[in-house]
Amino acid sequence: MNNGESLARVTTGVSGSVAFSVTITYGLEFIEQRTTMRFSRTIEEYLSNSTLHGARFIVDKDASWLERIFWVICLVVSWYASWLLIKASLSAFENNAISFVVESSYRDWNTNFPAIIVCESKNMDRIQEVAEQLWGADHDFTLEEVLSEIAFFRGESYHTVHECSGEESTASCFYSNFSYYAELVRSSCVDSISNCEWNNKPFECCKHFHRMETELGICYAINSLQAGMNKGPKLNMYSNRYTGPGTLTMELHTEATVFILGTEEVPTLVTPKTDFLVVGPYISFIRYISKRDIENDEEIRQTSVHQRNCRFADENILGVHNYYSYSACTVQCRKDRQMELCNCSSHLSPNSPDWQLCNMDGLECLNRNYEDLSVIIAKWSKRRGRKGLVCDCLPSCTEVDITTVFDSKDNMVGQQNPVSRIEVGLIELPTERYKRNLVRGKLDLVVSIGGTTGLFVGASLLSFVEIFYYMTIRPYSSCMDSRLKRLVFD
């Protein structure tokens, strides 16, 4: 093959490549133009046939450019106004869906009695008895103080840390398994409570006072949702116009704190002083209270926790108690902070596995951080440097307002045994209660949005279906029809 033939072939190959590239370029441009034209025709067809008010005038061939601009401005303003009202409706639905009212139609109300929770606070006789069992009759009496702090732990443990930590610790100290020693000291229900009456009718105390784990140790509660795993017999403690205001009386054989709380609440280290009685032997305590409940509309359950800003008892997110309440949430908050600071929690923390409970090193850490763990403060107080616990806890949706109306404390003359008598009752049947109503539900939101779009742009649900139809199904159907016609004619 000579040089001329080779050059001719190369020239022919280059020309063919250039022609092929030009063909592809023009082909792509043609496809792009055709696609654009199809999309434009689709938009024009949609606007011509749309049920949205004013849209057809934009593509009306008989309309002038001034008319088209006028309708474009009208549509933009209408859609913007519609969006502003829809945004306001969504905001009201999220933030103002609930209203509170005061009800006074009290003739047919059944008022549940508060939960009465008895927590032993001191028992020196039992401590001496256990100390003799553990260390003999000739034991170091400072160990009784240690045992008392362990059994009735309230966040501080001065004697325990002083006597049992460091190089000069007492040889007889125990350094772990504190919950076991606390159980040895604490009295049983039978040894603590007797002679119970509800509206002057006796009942078996420990059949209805159920064991309850709290951060104060083992307590015994009646009419509490949190006690006894919600099992066992329940005493009917409702009051109405037929029964009259209810009254509970009992005798205690130990020094104790008697809490008067809502049925889902629990005793804590920071329970307000107005919510409990500190009782001791040979004293008769009488307290009469007024009670105001919160009733919830049935539709409240349909709203989110954020909307109503509260939680129902069965919407539990806690590990320390079986039902949600504000006080139970603060117990969980304190436990989480203890785990964060000391890598363990108090040996009295309710429903906690053994591996989470503090040994002596952990107890020393809790004592060192007592100020940070014992007081609940607001976030802004924390930013100002105040020590305390910041807990993001919502209230219960069914919390109650309990107010002390009458209090008395008298000596029990002629009483031989070291007992105290407790009487707690309703001063009268409630005549008012709060009610949480739903004013903006999901149906109200749908109606509001539908009315807004209908008023401003004449749109319905099918109007938005049309957009999907003209952008997807209609072009596909047209394309398939064109192909079918070509196949038939070819």
Side-chain angles (χ1 to χ4, degrees):
M1 181 181 297
N2 57 33
N3 293 334
E5 291 177 350
S6 299
L7 181 61
R9 288 186 178 183
V10 170
T11 303
T12 303
V14 171
S15 301
S17 299
V18 172
F20 180 72
S21 298
V22 170
T23 303
I24 291 176
T25 302
Y26 278 109
L28 292 173
E29 289 180 357
F30 175 76
I31 292 172
E32 184 177 351
Q33 290 176 0
R34 190 166 183 178
T35 303
T36 303
M37 290 176 63
R38 282 183 178 177
F39 182 73
S40 299
R41 284 199 301 270
T42 301
I43 294 295
E44 184 177 350
E45 185 181 8
Y46 166 70
L47 292 175
S48 299
N49 299 288
S50 174
T51 55
L52 296 177
H53 291 178
R56 64 186 179 87
F57 294 109
I58 297 175
V59 293
D60 188 357
K61 294 179 180 179
D62 296 329
S64 66
W65 62 269
L66 184 61
E67 291 176 299
R68 295 184 183 187
I69 291 175
F70 170 76
W71 283 109
V72 167
I73 293 173
C74 287
L75 279 175
V76 170
V77 171
S78 296
W79 275 106
Y80 182 68
S82 178
W83 163 243
L84 289 180
L85 286 182
I86 290 173
K87 187 178 178 182
S89 297
L90 289 170
S91 177
F93 175 73
E94 284 295 325
N95 304 311
N96 299 299
I98 307 297
S99 72
F100 269 97
V101 296
V102 178
E103 281 193 330
S104 56
S105 54
Y106 54 86
R107 285 179 59 83
D108 297 321
W109 289 350
N110 286 316
T111 302
N112 196 13
F113 201 72
I116 305 298
I117 305 168
V118 178
C119 298
E120 188 177 29
S121 58
K122 191 176 181 181
N123 192 338
M124 291 309 299
D125 292 338
R126 181 63 182 160
I127 287 173
Q128 291 174 5
E129 182 181 335
V130 172
E132 290 183 3
Q133 293 176 5
L134 294 174
W135 301 298
D138 298 329
H139 61 270
D140 185 349
F141 288 102
T142 57
L143 290 174
E144 293 185 5
E145 294 294 338
V146 172
L147 195 58
S148 178
E149 285 184 343
I150 295 296
F152 305 106
F153 184 68
R154 295 296 182 269
E156 282 187 300
S157 48
Y158 172 79
H159 292 285
T160 305
V161 171
H162 181 73
E163 296 294 333
C164 298
S165 66
E167 297 179 357
E168 299 180 359
S169 60
T170 305
S172 299
C173 282
F174 37 82
Y175 297 93
S176 61
N177 203 18
F178 297 133
S179 57
Y180 166 75
Y181 296 101
E183 286 269 8
L184 286 179
V185 173
R186 303 294 283 257
S187 301
S188 65
C189 177
V190 175
D191 294 331
S192 302
I193 311 170
S194 66
N195 296 329
C196 299
E197 293 182 359
W198 168 250
N199 286 341
N200 298 319
K201 295 181 180 179
F203 65 90
E204 189 176 339
C205 295
C206 294
K207 184 178 179 180
H208 298 284
F209 274 91
H210 300 295
R211 175 189 171 100
M212 180 179 184
E213 290 188 29
T214 73
E215 66 175 356
L216 305 180
I218 301 300
C219 300
Y220 299 96
I222 188 170
N223 208 37
S224 172
L225 196 62
Q226 305 279 11
M229 299 296 290
N230 205 26
K231 297 179 180 178
K234 298 287 184 181
L235 187 66
N236 184 358
M237 301 185 74
Y238 284 92
S239 300
N240 51 45
R241 58 178 176 155
Y242 302 106
T243 63
T247 302
L248 176 71
T249 59
M250 58 185 171
E251 290 184 354
L252 300 183
H253 300 266
T254 181
E255 294 182 54
T257 306
V258 179
F259 293 88
I260 306 167
L261 305 172
T263 54
E264 73 276 4
E265 300 294 340
V266 297
T268 70
L269 294 173
V270 293
T271 299
K273 292 183 178 180
T274 55
D275 292 343
F276 61 80
L277 293 167
V278 179
V279 302
Y282 306 109
I283 305 292
S284 173
F285 296 85
I286 299 176
R287 172 170 289 187
Y288 279 90
I289 59 173
S290 65
K291 182 172 181 278
R292 186 176 290 182
D293 294 318
I294 295 180
E295 184 73 11
N296 292 283
D297 188 76
E298 292 180 359
E299 295 180 341
I300 292 294
R301 286 275 187 175
Q302 300 174 10
T303 61
S304 66
V305 173
H306 169 73
Q307 285 177 285
R308 59 181 123 97
N309 203 34
C310 67
R311 284 185 180 275
F312 285 98
D314 56 2
E315 295 177 330
N316 192 28
I317 55 171
L318 312 175
V320 291
H321 288 286
N322 296 320
Y323 296 92
Y324 183 86
S325 67
Y326 174 80
S327 55
C329 180
T330 62
V331 174
Q332 182 71 58
C333 176
R334 184 175 293 103
K335 178 185 174 181
D336 293 341
R337 184 61 175 162
Q338 289 173 347
M339 295 292 294
E340 181 182 341
L341 292 174
C342 303
N343 202 31
C344 65
S345 65
S346 162
H347 57 280
L348 297 182
S349 291
N351 301 312
S352 299
D354 291 341
W355 63 269
Q356 289 185 345
L357 305 182
C358 289
N359 56 17
M360 183 57 68
D361 292 335
L363 205 63
E364 185 178 356
C365 176
L366 296 182
N367 186 70
R368 190 168 57 249
N369 292 282
Y370 173 74
E371 290 186 22
D372 275 329
L373 296 169
S374 60
V375 181
I376 296 178
I377 61 174
K379 288 183 180 180
W380 58 266
S381 297
K382 193 73 171 180
R383 288 194 292 267
R384 293 185 177 182
R386 182 183 174 190
K387 289 188 176 182
L389 197 62
V390 177
C391 296
D392 187 16
C393 290
L394 292 173
S396 168
C397 292
T398 54
E399 67 180 6
V400 298
D401 179 20
I402 298 174
T403 305
T404 301
V405 178
F406 174 79
D407 242 345
S408 75
K409 183 167 64 172
D410 298 309
N411 293 323
M412 297 175 66
V413 180
Q415 178 65 45
Q416 300 296 323
N417 298 320
V419 300
S420 57
R421 189 175 186 277
I422 315 299
E423 180 178 328
V424 179
L426 293 174
I427 191 71
E428 62 181 3
L429 292 175
T431 57
E432 291 181 344
R433 69 180 179 187
Y434 301 112
K435 186 167 185 182
R436 187 182 280 112
N437 289 319
L438 181 66
V439 293
R440 291 182 181 89
K442 293 179 180 178
L443 180 60
D444 300 300
L445 179 64
V446 172
V447 171
S448 177
I449 293 175
T452 300
T453 54
L455 174 65
F456 283 94
V457 295
S460 67
L461 181 61
L462 291 179
S463 299
F464 297 99
V465 174
E466 284 179 359
I467 299 175
F468 174 78
Y469 168 73
Y470 276 101
M471 296 301 161
T472 56
I473 299 176
R474 186 63 177 263
Y476 177 77
S477 300
S478 300
C479 182
M480 294 301 294
D481 288 342
S482 299
R483 288 184 180 181
L484 185 60
K485 288 178 180 177
R486 283 199 299 269
L487 288 175
V488 170
F489 287 108
D490 291 345

